Amino acid sequence: MRKVFGPICALTGLMFVCAPLLIARAPYESTMGLVQKIFYFHVPSWMAMYAAIAVCGIASAVHLFKNRPAADRLAVSAAELAVLFGAMGLVTGPLWGRKAWGVWWQWDARLTMALLLELVFISYLLVRSYGGPGSDKLAATVGLFGLAVSPFVYVSVNIWRTVHPLNTVVPTLRAGMFGPFWFCSVAFLLLFTLLLMLRTNLANEQALLDDLYLADEE
Amino acid sequence: MMTKQSFAVVGIVLLSAQLFALQAPSGQTPAGQAPPGQGEFLPVDQLPPSEQLPAAPLLITAYAFVWIAVFFYVWTVWRRLNKVEAEMRVLEKRQRNPR
């Protein structure tokens, strides 16, 4: 794992250096103009959040049913990243909406469900921090719940009438927008992988420290 | 029995009510007629600068927030890792030199 950390770190850094150049060169959207360029960081941040939710949910299921502490450490790391990338989406979205819709926030199905999904993973971290003994299993159920509800957040724009654009907007992008969008998406997914490795390393070190304390007490 | 004077008072009251109604802004517009000021379409980029919401500050804030959030998170992980490693060193030292 340590062998791939350096190359991934270098590649992610390079991609994030190149991303602003590609975004600046991308064509302007006809109705929204400059503010639409938030899209290149807004949507990839949600993609990274969904990746974090998938990792957290699957690792939580493994810990819950097979009692693997390594899976639990992966789940808690991914939950933290779900909160981080979700916060990015929840902040960049209203900044875009203020110009495009004329309002910072609208309590419609998509926006509200996205906020609730963020709160689910904040609650996961709160359970882990203040739940006491056995909180890992309780948090694992919260992680599984987060994974189960995430598809509903994704399809909510197709089911209910909201101010948010439909999910079908990405395949209809112009050629000049398509490249920067996928470039940023890959960069965000690499950043997620990198941060997950970093955070899992911290969780492993914390577990080692706990073992050392236990050995010291004995 | 109504006198000429009372007729005059009622007349003045009705007249002033009519005048007041004509001067008051009307909530309804005749069918097929747009309210004043809304009849002409003006593209958003042709609005006077005082009425336009600049996009650049919103865009810069969005990108800056993403970067600040990433750096802040990496800093918190680094800080926690340093703390754990420091505790490990203390514990290892204690195990090597028991009292």
Side-chain angles (χ1 to χ4, degrees), chain B residues 1-16:
Chain B
M1 200 174 160
M2 287 183 95
T3 59
K4 274 184 188 175
Q5 215 172 7
S6 52
F7 268 117
V9 170
V10 170
I12 288 165
V13 168
L14 286 173
L15 194 67
S16 23

Side-chain angles (χ1 to χ4, degrees), chain A residues 110 152-162 165-168:
Chain A
R110 178 56 170 268
F152 294 102
V153 181
Y154 181 73
V155 298
S156 59
V157 277
N158 300 336
I159 298 170
W160 291 285
R161 193 176 166 183
T162 76
L166 294 174
N167 295 331
T168 50

Side-chain angles (χ1 to χ4, degrees), chain A residues 18-169:
Chain A
C18 295
L21 301 172
L22 288 174
I23 293 165
R25 281 184 176 190
Y28 286 92
E29 203 270 339
S30 57
T31 51
M32 285 181 276
L34 180 68
V35 82
Q36 184 269 341
K37 287 180 187 274
I38 291 178
F39 167 80
Y40 299 104
F41 267 30
H42 174 74
V43 180
S45 67
W46 284 115
M47 287 168 92
M49 191 209 190
Y50 279 113
I53 289 170
V55 171
C56 178
I58 294 165
S60 295
V62 170
H63 177 58
L64 207 57
F65 299 115
K66 296 199 169 175
N67 204 14
R68 302 257 171 90
D72 181 46
R73 294 197 289 272
L74 185 64
V76 72
S77 307
E80 252 186 40
L81 293 175
V83 172
L84 175 75
F85 286 108
M88 286 179 193
L90 285 172
V91 170
T92 54
L95 287 165
W96 183 4
R98 179 68 184 90
K99 176 81 177 169
W101 305 331
V103 287
W104 294 103
W105 186 263
Q106 192 76 38
W107 291 102
D108 72 2
R110 178 56 170 268
L111 275 65
T112 310
M113 284 177 83
L115 178 65
L116 288 175
L117 192 62
E118 175 80 355
L119 292 175
V120 166
F121 285 92
I122 289 174
S123 67
Y124 178 102
L125 298 177
L126 289 174
V127 167
R128 290 301 298 244
S129 300
Y130 305 106
S135 64
D136 54 333
K137 297 279 180 188
L138 184 62
T141 57
V142 176
L144 262 179
F145 174 72
L147 178 66
V149 297
S150 60
F152 294 102
V153 181
Y154 181 73
V155 298
S156 59
V157 277
N158 300 336
I159 298 170
W160 291 285
R161 193 176 166 183
T162 76
V163 289
H164 194 277
L166 294 174
N167 295 331
T168 50
V169 77

